């Protein structure tokens, strides 16, 4: 078989991932090995996603006690209000957290290029490709997620329009930098302005949410849920209720990092194999008393942390043992075995009950950064071995793999929320975060170093290819948003509706994504 390097006229790659002997192996095997490694890293991202969302929900649900005194009767009234604003939580915690794999990858790529006059193309390529994946495939999935005939629309249209404006402006701004203001060059001030615009997005969205005069759009909002997701029984309460035979449906082994579990955690289907039905008890007061006593015994942090390791090392779950189909059972065991190294590693993440979930949230992001670093190394090796342009790999394979948390977040929100606000806001806000933070911060690092060390701006080697991808993305995104507007006019909601039209919309969005990928690949490869 002819090796990749010969087909593409590329010289033999002497770099290696683990040991120097890799360079002596054939290029075909090395490419296959590295692609497998890349896929396994994406499985790791999917595994840490479960813990990331559990910690994020604990952060968002944090409340503070507010004491109000009646000026007449002097009576004190105590109420609890959420620390996080609904809109700010969407833009910061949700969008920033789900975009963290791409941001980490771009930042690592920038740090590796510190001292060079030319910026790396891996980060920007991944972020632009991720924007396309967020806008098209994720929208496509969210449209068909609601049940047949169920409609979910954006409740706060004004906030979405603000987020949409900043999302579109982010890519217009990037094009202005690359082609109009200082062609093929990024200055320190351009990078700084890019980062600062993320702050303007937060302020503008908050102003719209609070309906500040002169700044906000005069658009009324419909009723919306107070939480990012509908209220769920906390993990430790479920364990307590399970031990006293609490009537209802209790999820088994939530924190195992399984990609199947994170989709099933929020399922309302009682026949779901990941759920079990337990006997009913009529005396509610007795149930609550027993639950409270059990909670006091079993919610100790060390106990919960220990259970994380026990769950991580368990290959066969109770529900798997009940499966009569041996092939299905073996497939599940094989999947658990494949995930075991990741699950054991992520079991070291502290329980999300500590510090309202902040420690778990930060640790999850650190693990994501570590995986992103490995991904950058493997991608460089794939490009070296195969001769495929790293930019092509960035906006296809890397963009799709690192956008997994975005996909999961929007899918969960589309399933669990009564409205489409968070599901769609995560997409639009993630695209803004990709530019303002994901590209802005790495460029700021490189431009600041070049300004101090050389007094020179940062050169963008593949600026023309990046600009072309921006034009294609902007053109296709207009078609995507137009369809969402059309669905709101015809069906009264952006997500759900008649199954036939939901699937037609899904297919159209996927077609737009294919158009973007094909045209961008042809441009980078020199065919256009």
């Amino acid at each position: 078989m002819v090796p990749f390097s010969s087909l593409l006229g590329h010289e033999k790659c002497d770099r290696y991932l683990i040991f120097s002997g890799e360079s002596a192996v054939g290029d075909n095997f090395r490419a296959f090995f590295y692609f497998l490694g890349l896929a396994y890293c994406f499985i790791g991202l999917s595994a840490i996603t479960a813990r990331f969302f559990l910690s994020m929900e604990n952060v968002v649900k944090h409340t503070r006690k507010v004491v109000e005194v009646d000026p007449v009767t002097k009576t004190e009234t105590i109420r609890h209000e959420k620390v996080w604003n609904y809109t700010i939580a969407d833009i910061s915690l949700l969008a920033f957290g789900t975009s963290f794999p791409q941001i980490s990858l771009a930042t690592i790529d920038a740090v590796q290029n510190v001292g060079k006059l030319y910026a790396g193309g891996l980060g920007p390529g991944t972020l632009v490709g991720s924007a396309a994946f967020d806008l098209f495939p994720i929208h496509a999935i969210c449209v068909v997620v609601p049940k047949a005939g169920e409609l979910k629309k954006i409740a706060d249209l004004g906030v979405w329009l603000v987020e949409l404006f900043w999302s579109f402006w982010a890519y217009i701004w990037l094009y202005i930098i690359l082609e109009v203001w200082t062609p093929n060059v990024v200055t320190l001030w351009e990078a700084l302005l890019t980062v600062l615009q993320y702050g303007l997005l937060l302020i503008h969205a908050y102003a719209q949410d609070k309906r500040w005069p002169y700044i906000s759009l005069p658009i009324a909002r419909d009723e919306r849920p107070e939480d990012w997701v509908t209220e769920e029984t906390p993990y430790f309460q479920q364990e307590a209720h399970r031990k006293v035979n609490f009537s209802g449906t209790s999820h088994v082994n939530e924190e195992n990092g399984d990609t199947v579990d994170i989709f099933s955690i929020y399922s309302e289907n009682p026949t779901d194999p990941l759920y079990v039905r337990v006997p009913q008890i009529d005396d509610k007061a007795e149930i609550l008393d027993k639950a409270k006593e059990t909670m006091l015994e079993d919610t100790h942090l060390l106990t919960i942390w220990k259970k994380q390791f026990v769950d991580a090392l368990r290959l066969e779950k109770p529900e798997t043992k009940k499966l009569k189909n041996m092939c299905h059972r073996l497939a599940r065991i094989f999947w658990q075995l494949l995930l075991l190294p990741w699950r054991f590693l992520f079991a070291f993440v502290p329980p999300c009950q500590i510090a309202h979930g902040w420690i778990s949230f930060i640790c999850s992001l650190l693990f994501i950064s570590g995986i992103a670093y490995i991904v950058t190394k493997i991608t460089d090796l794939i490009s070296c071995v195969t001769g495929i342009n790293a930019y092509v790999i960035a906006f296809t394979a890397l963009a799709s793999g690192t956008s997994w948390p975005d996909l999961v977040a929007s899918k969960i929100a589309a399933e669990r929320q009564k409205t489409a606000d968070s599901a769609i806001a995560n997409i639009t806000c993630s695209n803004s975060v990709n530019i303002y933070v994901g590209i802005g911060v790495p460029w700021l690092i490189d431009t600041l170093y070049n300004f101090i060390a050389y007094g020179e701006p940062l050169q963008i080697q593949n600026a023309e290819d990046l600009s072309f991808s921006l034009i294609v993305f902007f053109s296709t995104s207009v078609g995507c948003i137009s369809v969402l507007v059309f669905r709101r006019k015809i069906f009264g909601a952006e997500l759900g509706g008649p199954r036939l039209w939901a699937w037609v919309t899904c297919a159209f969005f996927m077609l737009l994504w294919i158009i973007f990928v094909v045209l961008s690949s042809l441009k980078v490869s020199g065919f256009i």
Side-chain angles (χ1 to χ4, degrees), residues 375-403:
V375 166
T376 57
K377 292 294 186 182
I378 295 177
T379 304
D380 287 338
L381 286 170
I382 291 175
S383 178
C384 180
V385 171
T386 63
I388 300 174
N389 192 306
Y391 185 73
V392 175
I393 301 174
F395 65 72
T396 52
L398 287 189
S400 303
T402 55
S403 294

Side-chain angles (χ1 to χ4, degrees), residues 170-197:
Y171 293 91
I172 295 173
W173 167 253
L174 190 59
Y175 184 84
I176 291 173
I177 290 176
L178 295 174
E179 296 293 336
V180 180
W181 200 344
T182 54
N184 304 325
V185 169
V186 176
T187 65
L188 175 61
W189 296 110
E190 289 172 337
L192 185 60
L193 285 174
T194 302
V195 176
L196 291 177
Q197 287 183 73

Side-chain angles (χ1 to χ4, degrees), residues 284-299:
K284 302 295 183 181
E286 182 182 352
I287 293 172
L288 294 176
D289 290 339
K290 290 183 178 180
K292 290 178 181 178
E293 293 176 3
T294 312
M295 285 163 56
L296 293 175
E297 297 174 0
D298 295 340
T299 57

Side-chain angles (χ1 to χ4, degrees), residues 43 46-47 256-264 335 339 404:
I43 291 176
S46 71
N256 63 357
D258 195 332
T259 55
V260 179
D261 282 0
I262 195 168
F263 285 157
S264 303
W335 180 249
L339 282 173
W404 179 260

